[in-house]
Amino acid sequence: GDSVTQMEGPVTLSEEAFLTINCTYTATGYPSLFWYVQYPGEGLQLLLKATKADDKGSNKGFEATYRKETTSFHLEKGSVQVSDSAVYFCALSELAAGNKLTFGGGTRVLVKP
Amino acid sequence: EAGVTQFPSHSVIEKGQTVTLRCDPISGHDNLYWYRRVMGKEIKFLLHFVKESKQDESGMPNNRFLAERTGGTYSTLKVQPAELEDSGVYFCASSQDIGSAQKTQYFGPGTRLLVL
């Protein structure tokens, strides 16, 4: 079945540092890929997505590129802020499976001033 | 436009009791999904409704869990009787018609369930 693996946290950074969270996947078909974020005390929010190979999703300074050859969807941000402290989830879905999401384990990111 | 809402936000019950969680999707969203995150583990799919019909309930852990979606609007997830391993955060999400495109799922804030 489908699965998503992402780096374990917590990841602790200083403000303005570069952030990378690795995410790799296995899928039976051709999935869409997502990054969701959960800020403290809030629900899951879609951060960005990509639906086909080589697509780049971007939002709020975050980027991730759909790499089919390496089955990866790594999340990056060039200069993090304290407000980026959250838990980040990589996920995939397949239309043939009713679009149910398969999540990675989540990576907690803490940005210190 | 109101987002996905869930009730209650927290629930603490004793083993053997019954708990019912409610989810109100975004108006007009035919697809409704339930997920849960057990302590320290991945968020796992439970089931998927299209309107009032169960499209996929392959993620339901056992027959102690019963989900309904009356009239294709709000949904309830009942756990009866609750066990310790049912503790976790239960998320609901909704999306528009699937059609031929991958539709974004919008999540509620979750219900944090603790079974003692």
Side-chain angles (χ1 to χ4, degrees), chain B residues 54 67 106:
Chain B
K54 291 177 186 174
Y106 295 88

Side-chain angles (χ1 to χ4, degrees), chain B residues 23-100:
Chain B
C23 168
D24 286 77
I26 293 172
S27 177
H29 281 194
D30 287 340
N31 295 286
L32 189 151
Y33 303 81
W34 283 98
Y35 298 87
R36 75 171 178 176
R37 188 181 193 199
V38 173
M39 190 68 69
K41 298 192 176 180
E42 302 90 8
I43 300 171
K44 293 282 196 183
F45 166 80
L46 295 178
L47 86 158
H48 170 206
F49 284 98
V50 178
K51 298 184 180 178
E52 67 277 6
S53 299
K54 291 177 186 174
Q55 187 77 9
D56 179 358
E57 51 185 331
S58 62
M60 295 287 263
N62 51 62
N63 59 10
R64 295 186 293 103
F65 289 75
L66 175 64
E68 295 179 326
R69 190 178 182 193
T70 307
T73 55
Y74 70 91
S75 174
T76 58
L77 179 65
K78 183 162 71 173
V79 185
Q80 180 183 29
E83 298 289 343
L84 299 179
E85 64 264 25
D86 300 332
S87 297
V89 182
Y90 290 76
F91 292 102
C92 175
S94 72
S95 70
Q96 293 178 310
D97 288 347
I98 294 177
S100 61

